[in-house]
Amino acid sequence: MASTLPGIHLNGARFSTKLNNPVMTERIPSPPSKCNPAPSKVLRRPREQRTRSQQKQAQPVELSKLETQRYRNSYFHTLCLEVLKGGFHRAFAEVFALVKDQQINIDAAGANSLVQDRTLLADQHAKLDRMKQHLTEAELGLRIGDMHKVYSSRLKLANHFLEIGDLWLSDHFFQSCLDSALTITDDDKRVVGEAHCNLGLACERRKQFDEAAAHFEEFYALAKEKQWRTEDDVSLHSEACEHLRRLYTAIADTQRNTDQEIQCLIKTCEMAKESNNRRGEGESSYRLGQAYERAGDSEMALQYLTRYMDLCRGYKDHEGLGKACEAIAKCYERQGKLDEVVHYLQMFGELAEKTGQQKAHCRAYSCLGSIHNSLGQYTEASQFFGKAYTTARGSNDPGTTDRCVPCMGLLQPKHRRSTE
């Protein structure tokens, strides 16, 4: 008997020699070849590389103590450490005191105050850096006894903060400039005078006129007998006089008592004369004449107003000359001297017409018309009122025209009666 042959495999199917049927059987995978490495071995290298790189990144970076503090602390804290490390204890104490004073002032102002919205000095890095730079320079100058360097370093800080609008810090450093200047003895106290001038300007900016006057007067007293001049060849004495003239004028504006106003304006005139400022003297004389007029002293008013008129003639100020004529006419009107009133009003009208001041021109001829009308000289009054009305219509100012119409209406019946 013939033996049974083994089954034939064809594409994964085994054919039985007995039943002539293909019987599908599960294919058993072949073992991996020795030539191809296992997948686990292929993935092991990238994993090892990633582990090594992570280990390198995890290695700690060596930092100095100061570099470590920079990461841990605020900018202000770190700056203080750097200043102290350099041995600048005075600079540290001043910056720290400024920061602390600001915080105290903000806390004292209350929670509803507008100052609560301001940025703290401790958070303003540029300002802190600037103070660190110049305060350390000043401290170095102090160590070697160079007080001029101390003064100049603090002056740079004051001017810088003034330029950026921080008046609190600029005022602080202007005051410290004066303290430093008082220790300088080799320049005949010139820097002391300049420091007083800067502090006077600081007080004037804050409308603290009494304190400003005290500093400007110190500056004036130091510069009066000296030949000090600025880089622009301006006399410091003239500059001190001009500061006092401007300040006394501002103080006069705040005075409600006429006598006190007059005293301030007298000082203003004196300072303008001393500095040879003709325009300033003219303005002061005009204001002083007006003040005397309000006080009822027409004689003194005429004296200063006449001085103003002469000065205006000197520097050919036709508008100012017209103002002087109008003011002088009012003084003579108070004295009842109508001939002088008419003379100066006519001069005022001519100057106003020459300079194109239509409102002033109209005002001058209206006053002349009123004077002639009060004297019964209706023909002359009619002429002046007519000129005023014509000028008012040409100015295209309804208000000025409306003021002239009643004068014309009142005058016409009188003029007709006088001609009948």
Side-chain angles (χ1 to χ4, degrees), residues 213-386:
H215 287 295
F216 283 142
E217 285 166 0
E218 288 286 344
F219 177 39
Y220 169 79
L222 289 169
K224 185 176 181 179
E225 303 297 335
K226 307 295 191 304
Q227 299 298 321
W228 296 335
R229 307 191 75 84
T230 64
E231 295 178 354
D232 300 327
D233 199 30
V234 177
S235 169
L236 289 184
H237 172 238
S238 298
E239 187 176 326
C241 292
E242 182 59 25
H243 287 321
L244 283 172
R245 185 196 70 82
R246 185 185 64 253
L247 186 66
Y248 289 146
T249 303
I251 294 174
D253 290 336
T254 64
Q255 299 296 330
R256 295 184 179 180
N257 186 292
T258 306
D259 292 336
Q260 293 178 352
E261 180 186 3
I262 288 173
Q263 294 303 316
C264 290
L265 290 173
I266 289 173
K267 292 180 181 179
T268 302
C269 280
E270 291 173 353
M271 289 297 105
K273 281 183 181 179
E274 194 168 337
S275 63
N276 201 27
N277 182 355
R278 296 301 181 189
R279 287 189 179 273
E281 183 185 353
E283 293 172 3
S284 301
S285 297
Y286 176 74
R287 291 199 55 179
L288 190 54
Q290 295 283 73
Y292 274 119
E293 173 66 20
R294 288 194 300 273
D297 192 343
S298 299
E299 290 297 330
M300 291 299 296
L302 284 171
Q303 178 181 336
Y304 283 100
L305 290 172
T306 304
R307 174 62 178 165
Y308 175 53
M309 186 172 64
D310 294 339
L311 288 168
C312 288
R313 281 200 186 100
Y315 48 78
K316 298 179 180 180
D317 182 2
H318 297 293
E319 184 177 350
L321 195 58
K323 283 171 56 179
C325 291
E326 183 181 17
I328 290 172
K330 288 180 180 179
C331 289
Y332 280 123
E333 184 181 7
R334 181 182 289 272
Q335 294 178 355
K337 298 178 180 179
L338 294 182
D339 292 340
E340 286 81 358
V341 173
V342 171
H343 170 71
Y344 282 101
L345 282 177
Q346 286 178 341
M347 189 185 299
F348 174 41
E350 292 170 1
L351 288 167
E353 185 177 6
K354 184 185 295 185
T355 56
Q357 302 176 66
Q358 291 181 327
K359 289 185 179 181
H361 184 205
C362 180
R363 190 166 65 250
Y365 284 130
S366 295
C367 292
L368 283 169
S370 298
I371 291 171
H372 285 290
N373 185 40
S374 65
L375 296 174
Q377 300 170 356
Y378 301 122
T379 302
E380 291 82 354
S382 177
Q383 293 175 357
F384 284 115
F385 279 137

Side-chain angles (χ1 to χ4, degrees), residues 37-263:
S40 60
K41 293 181 180 180
V42 174
L43 297 175
R44 189 178 302 164
R45 287 182 181 175
R47 186 181 302 169
E48 291 176 355
Q49 291 175 358
R50 286 197 301 271
T51 304
R52 290 172 184 173
S53 64
Q54 290 174 358
Q55 289 176 352
K56 290 180 180 179
Q57 293 177 359
Q59 290 179 357
V61 179
E62 294 184 1
L63 297 175
S64 66
K65 186 175 181 180
L66 187 58
E67 290 172 338
T68 306
Q69 295 293 339
R70 284 176 181 162
Y71 287 101
R72 291 180 178 177
N73 299 324
S74 66
Y75 189 87
F76 171 64
H77 190 106
T78 303
L79 182 135
C80 289
L81 291 176
E82 291 175 353
V83 172
L84 286 172
K85 184 180 178 181
F88 300 104
H89 302 283
R90 292 177 181 270
F92 160 75
E94 188 165 355
V95 174
F96 189 83
L98 286 170
V99 171
K100 186 177 180 181
D101 288 345
Q102 185 193 44
Q103 188 63 58
I104 291 173
N105 293 334
I106 290 175
D107 293 341
N112 297 326
S113 175
L114 295 177
V115 298
Q116 297 290 341
D117 299 330
R118 294 180 183 175
T119 305
L120 294 175
L121 178 59
D123 298 328
Q124 300 183 59
H125 300 173
K127 292 182 181 180
L128 292 173
D129 288 339
R130 180 75 65 161
M131 285 193 289
K132 173 189 172 184
Q133 175 188 352
H134 291 297
L135 286 178
T136 52
E137 289 176 359
E139 191 163 347
L140 284 173
L142 185 63
R143 290 176 185 175
I144 61 176
D146 187 355
M147 299 309 299
H148 286 282
K149 183 165 185 63
V150 176
Y151 174 81
S152 63
S153 298
R154 291 183 172 277
L155 185 61
K156 288 176 184 177
L157 275 176
N159 288 328
H160 169 73
F161 289 124
L162 180 61
E163 289 174 3
I164 64 176
D166 194 330
L167 298 184
W168 171 57
L169 286 175
S170 69
D171 290 355
H172 168 80
F173 287 109
F174 277 133
Q175 179 62 56
S176 69
C177 282
L178 177 59
D179 298 336
S180 302
L182 290 171
T183 63
I184 298 175
T185 58
D186 60 352
D187 69 339
D188 202 14
K189 295 187 176 181
R190 173 168 177 161
V191 290
V192 176
E194 292 177 353
H196 276 297
C197 178
N198 289 328
L199 269 178
L201 292 170
C203 294
E204 187 181 3
R205 282 189 290 269
R206 295 190 177 277
K207 308 298 182 184
Q208 298 170 349
F209 294 139
D210 292 337
E211 293 85 346
H215 287 295
F216 283 142
E217 285 166 0
E218 288 286 344
F219 177 39
Y220 169 79
L222 289 169
K224 185 176 181 179
E225 303 297 335
K226 307 295 191 304
Q227 299 298 321
W228 296 335
R229 307 191 75 84
T230 64
E231 295 178 354
D232 300 327
D233 199 30
V234 177
S235 169
L236 289 184
H237 172 238
S238 298
E239 187 176 326
C241 292
E242 182 59 25
H243 287 321
L244 283 172
R245 185 196 70 82
R246 185 185 64 253
L247 186 66
Y248 289 146
T249 303
I251 294 174
D253 290 336
T254 64
Q255 299 296 330
R256 295 184 179 180
N257 186 292
T258 306
D259 292 336
Q260 293 178 352
E261 180 186 3
I262 288 173
Q263 294 303 316

